[in-house]
């Protein structure tokens, strides 16, 4: 169990350490972005919004949804605070802040405070099956069969 401020520090370190895995990205820039969002981040944590609406880090192959659990549920969960692998080849990153109704104005102000922050919905995560395409081109098979 941590305070909202201590929880934000842990989340900020996780984001910065993940971004730092890329030689093309700056850990300092991630720290600056998270600092710009600190006040609204603490509000999101304290109000319990990060239980249903994650902060999303997108960097290269990394699509990391960060949530915070509070109350007795926090006692039964294992934390995963290790940097997320997959950012090594990233050349850009974006941090998407959730924007629940009561805090939309504050989130928008924070997102406008740094170019790596956004209050927009994060892009859908990439999946290998979504990008693989069909394994069999049925139309090409039909044409080949009908030409015989």
């Amino acid at each position: 169990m941590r305070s909202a401020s201590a929880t934000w520090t842990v989340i900020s370190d996780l984001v910065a350490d993940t971004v730092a895995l890329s030689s093309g990205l700056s850990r300092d820039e991630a720290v600056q972005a998270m600092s710009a969002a600190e006040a609204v981040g603490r509000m999101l944590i304290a109000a319990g919004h990060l239980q249903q609406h994650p902060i999303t880090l997108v960097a290269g192959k990394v699509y990391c949804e960060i949530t915070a659990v509070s109350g007795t549920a926090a006692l039964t969960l294992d934390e995963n605070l290790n940097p997320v692998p997959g950012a090594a080849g990233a050349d850009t990153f974006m941090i998407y802040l959730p924007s629940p109704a009561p805090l939309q104005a504050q989130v928008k102000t924070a997102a406008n405070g740094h170019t790596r922050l956004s209050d927009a919905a994060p892009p859908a995560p990439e999946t290998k099956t979504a990008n693989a395409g069909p394994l069999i081109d049925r139309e090409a098979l039909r044409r080949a069969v009908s030409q015989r």
Side-chain angles (χ1 to χ4, degrees):
M1 298 278 228
R2 295 182 184 90
S3 67
S5 182
T7 301
W8 185 256
T9 299
V10 169
I11 291 171
S12 295
D13 287 344
L14 174 62
V15 169
D17 291 345
T18 299
V19 167
L21 293 175
S22 171
S23 59
L25 298 176
S26 165
R27 184 184 198 286
D28 291 340
E29 189 173 11
V31 169
Q32 291 167 4
M34 294 303 284
S35 292
E38 182 174 2
V40 75
R42 286 183 291 157
M43 285 189 266
L44 289 166
I45 294 164
H49 292 296
L50 286 188
Q51 291 183 37
Q52 295 113 14
H53 311 286
I55 292 172
T56 305
L57 169 64
V58 178
K61 294 179 182 178
V62 169
Y63 188 94
C64 179
E65 293 182 335
I66 304 165
T67 58
V69 178
S70 63
T72 56
L75 300 174
T76 62
L77 293 175
D78 290 325
E79 291 182 321
N80 180 2
L81 302 176
N82 297 318
V84 180
D91 57 2
T92 187
F93 72 95
M94 185 62 71
I95 302 162
Y96 295 89
L97 301 172
S99 188
L103 296 174
Q104 286 176 340
Q106 293 92 331
V107 171
K108 182 165 247 355
T109 299
N112 290 336
H114 197 280
T115 59
R116 299 291 187 181
L117 296 173
S118 176
D119 63 333
E126 291 184 23
T127 61
K128 291 183 184 200
T129 55
N131 293 328
L135 296 176
I136 298 172
D137 185 343
R138 292 174 196 245
E139 285 303 311
L141 282 174
R142 268 192 211 116
R143 285 191 301 270
V145 169
S146 66
Q147 289 174 356
R148 289 185 179 175

